[in-house]
Amino acid sequence: MSLDNHLTTQELRALDAAHHIHPFSDTAEMRAKGARVITRADGVWLQDSEGNRILDGMAGLWCVNIGYGRRELADVAYRQMQQLPFYNTFFMTTHPPAVELSAKLAEIAPGDKNRVFFASGGSDANDTNIRLVRHYWAALGKPDKSVIISRKNGYHGSSVGSASLGGMAPMHAQGGLPIPDITHIDQPHWWAEGGDLSPEEFGLARARQLEEAIDRIGEHRVAAFIAEPVQGAGGVIIPPETYWPEISRICREREILLIADEVITGFGRTGRWFGSETYDIDPDIMTIAKGMSSGYQPIGGSILRESVAQVIEEGGEFNHGYTYSSHPVAAAVALENIRILQEEKIVEQVAEDTAPYLAAKWHMLADHPMVGQARICGMMGALELTPDVAARAPFANTGTVGLMTRERCFANGLVMRHVGDKMIISPPLTISHTEIDRLVELAWQSLDEGMAQAKAEGAFRTP
Ligand SMILES: *Cc1c(COP(=O)(O)O)cnc(C)c1O
């Protein structure tokens, strides 16, 4: 059992350094400083092993949508573990949590998205999607339609398949990615890449890259396009208004499937149940995970349009599945999470109250001399840090000032992540007005301190 701190922080750090390999961490730096040890959480507040309270501006990793400490989810998990801790759904078997969760997801997903294939997270769900769309076209007698188009700086997970879909250059540099038949177009990031174009012109130009890619590769070769409605891990990149309508037009006119990766944007993050509703997208497949269980259990999946599922079924047995596909405990917890989101009208509350309040406060940060843009969509926001606001200029050493600022945030009791020199937030949807005030206050203070340090260390300069 590890519920209480029977080890000191120092002992925990030493054992951690000796035996625990961390995802996405600079090991040398972590060894020097010691890993941060989080021991408990309640609402939007984390507590570390030294008793410090930290406001979690990231909802864990974009996932704890209903906040920490909801007893109901623990009770459901406990009861489900006693009744049926595990059984699979292979070989024509099912169990009540899998049935009820599939039906619930079909109810809340827009339109004819009625069928669900379960995974344990977003990465394996996107791996499923790669096999699904290729199998779909093969079943229709078009096995050559296997190329999937995605975007540079998109994030779709960390497994071999999903990281290939993603467009993260540092990830592709390790382990021989991407796998064949995946190609990337540019992202719709106006602030950094829009040059002299208006956001509207730039959104159209970036969307039309999809059409150009289809023409170049040949429509007979292209299976699908995958994208996040709002890029999350890439730095909360909110597309210009013109982007999604044009992407939708291209997908409608061309014979390709559209996959909306809703792993972050699903379950209320953008102020609607799904980002596809916020942007009026009608995808064939939606990837879900994270907020689906508010992170209380690992679960993800793919929601398919009825007609797509039918083709897959007519294509014979789908030779695919994970031991933990539709895990009963994870499914029961996800169901309870969705019940709370619905009964407490949390998504409506985000749309009508919390998100507008956060947006008003967040936009004030644009007045900070180091902030070039403060953008926000629902409950996910970003600040572009820059040494020259008017020129939308990058820093000479990408990520240095972002990292300094993030460290100041931690020291001040706020989790705000940095992606390069973008500062990003994605707090629990249940954050209160007072907590939002506090978040923005701590962000401003940390920006001040980050900027002072950058100037003192000669990092506050353009290339
Ligand atoms: C986090 C994320 C994933 C990967 O999900 P995991 O549960 O970490 O495997 C996929 N897509 C998007 C958009 C994500 O943000």
Side-chain angles (χ1 to χ4, degrees):
M1 284 299 289
S2 56
L3 274 184
D4 290 301
N5 293 342
H6 56 282
L7 298 174
T8 64
T9 302
Q10 243 176 349
E11 287 166 333
L12 287 166
R13 284 183 177 153
L15 288 171
D16 185 79
H19 303 297
H20 180 200
I21 303 175
H22 289 240
F24 290 106
S25 293
D26 181 329
T27 310
E29 190 195 326
M30 189 174 61
R31 289 241 163 98
K33 290 184 186 163
R36 200 171 288 107
V37 184
I38 303 297
T39 50
R40 52 182 65 236
D42 191 43
V44 300
W45 296 94
L46 305 169
Q47 188 176 313
D48 71 13
S49 53
E50 314 280 65
N52 298 308
R53 268 160 59 86
I54 306 161
L55 202 170
D56 186 4
M58 283 304 298
L61 275 174
W62 322 83
C63 55
V64 188
N65 287 12
I66 61 167
Y68 298 95
R70 293 297 303 240
R71 270 291 298 258
E72 301 93 322
L73 273 63
D75 291 343
V76 159
Y78 179 71
R79 288 202 305 272
Q80 185 61 46
M81 277 194 204
Q82 288 179 311
Q83 184 169 327
L84 182 71
F86 177 77
Y87 201 72
N88 67 74
T89 50
F90 288 25
F91 321 130
M92 303 192 284
T93 309
T94 195
H95 50 65
V99 176
E100 286 178 48
L101 181 58
S102 316
K104 177 54 81 177
L105 289 168
E107 173 200 316
I108 62 174
D112 53 358
K113 259 63 78 189
N114 288 337
R115 310 282 205 95
V116 191
F117 188 98
F118 289 106
S120 300
S123 303
D124 45 348
N126 277 325
D127 277 14
T128 296
N129 292 339
I130 295 174
R131 301 198 59 206
L132 264 177
V133 299
R134 289 177 176 170
H135 181 53
Y136 171 89
W137 290 114
L140 288 173
K142 298 179 178 176
D144 290 341
K145 277 176 85 68
S146 58
V147 175
I148 304 174
I149 302 172
S150 60
R151 306 183 300 184
K152 291 176 194 161
N153 200 39
Y155 188 80
H156 299 295
S158 203
S159 59
V160 171
S162 62
S164 295
L165 289 177
M168 299 285 180
M171 293 179 76
H172 288 180
Q174 297 170 346
L177 306 185
I179 57 172
D181 278 0
I182 291 177
T183 192
H184 300 85
I185 60 174
D186 287 318
Q187 59 178 340
H189 186 11
W190 175 80
W191 190 86
E193 300 173 10
D196 294 333
L197 296 181
S198 70
E200 292 71 28
E201 292 166 333
F202 178 72
L204 281 180
R206 284 291 154 100
R208 285 178 187 153
Q209 282 194 10
L210 175 60
E211 198 157 44
E212 290 154 20
I214 295 169
D215 287 338
R216 191 171 62 246
I217 299 159
E219 193 173 308
H220 67 290
R221 288 277 290 121
V222 180
F225 174 64
I226 182 169
E228 303 150 84
V230 175
Q231 280 157 270
V236 185
I237 291 157
I238 302 169
E241 292 289 322
T242 49
Y243 183 77
W244 274 111
E246 186 67 357
I247 291 283
S248 297
R249 177 192 68 77
I250 296 164
C251 290
R252 248 194 335 270
E253 291 177 7
R254 302 308 196 97
E255 197 186 35
I256 67 168
L257 297 174
L258 173 59
I259 309 169
D261 188 336
E262 295 265 11
V263 170
I264 289 175
T265 51
F267 303 93
R269 179 61 55 197
T270 67
R272 302 288 298 270
W273 277 90
F274 294 95
S276 290
E277 295 168 290
T278 299
Y279 286 95
D280 198 19
I281 308 166
D282 183 25
D284 297 290
I285 300 174
M286 301 196 302
T287 321
I288 52 171
K290 294 195 172 120
M292 175 181 183
S293 65
S294 284
Y296 280 60
Q297 283 285 292
I299 187 166
S302 309
I303 311 185
L304 279 61
R305 189 196 293 290
E306 185 69 38
S307 56
V308 172
Q310 280 168 10
V311 170
I312 300 287
E313 283 164 4
E314 284 157 18
E317 186 170 328
F318 187 32
N319 299 315
H320 179 70
Y322 307 111
T323 300
Y324 297 140
S325 287
S326 49
H327 190 286
V329 179
V333 168
L335 207 49
E336 182 67 4
N337 174 61
I338 295 168
R339 185 192 68 74
I340 292 174
L341 285 171
Q342 283 188 315
E343 284 184 13
E344 298 183 4
K345 300 199 185 313
I346 291 172
V347 183
E348 291 84 343
Q349 191 187 320
V350 164
E352 287 157 22
D353 177 63
T354 321
Y357 188 82
L358 176 62
K361 295 277 165 175
W362 191 250
H363 284 133
M364 289 182 191
L365 292 170
D367 293 337
H368 192 279
M370 184 163 66
V371 174
Q373 188 191 48
R375 55 176 179 265
I376 191 150
C377 172
M379 301 296 285
M380 55 198 296
L383 306 172
E384 292 281 353
L385 306 189
T386 171
D388 185 343
V389 170
R392 291 172 18 218
F395 284 104
N397 294 312
T398 308
T400 311
V401 180
L403 178 63
M404 282 175 189
T405 306
R406 187 200 68 183
E407 292 301 292
R408 293 318 307 156
C409 288
F410 269 124
N412 292 327
L414 171 67
V415 177
M416 179 158 69
R417 194 165 139 189
H418 83 111
V419 175
D421 294 308
K422 300 185 262 293
M423 304 307 300
I424 60 179
I425 56 157
S426 169
L429 308 185
T430 51
I431 189 169
S432 70
H433 286 200
T434 321
E435 288 160 345
I436 289 172
D437 293 347
R438 187 80 188 126
L439 186 158
V440 171
E441 222 172 77
L442 291 172
W444 187 286
Q445 180 190 344
S446 305
L447 288 165
D448 272 351
E449 294 172 7
M451 186 168 88
Q453 188 185 346
K455 286 186 170 166
E457 296 180 15
F460 199 81
R461 56 190 172 84
T462 54

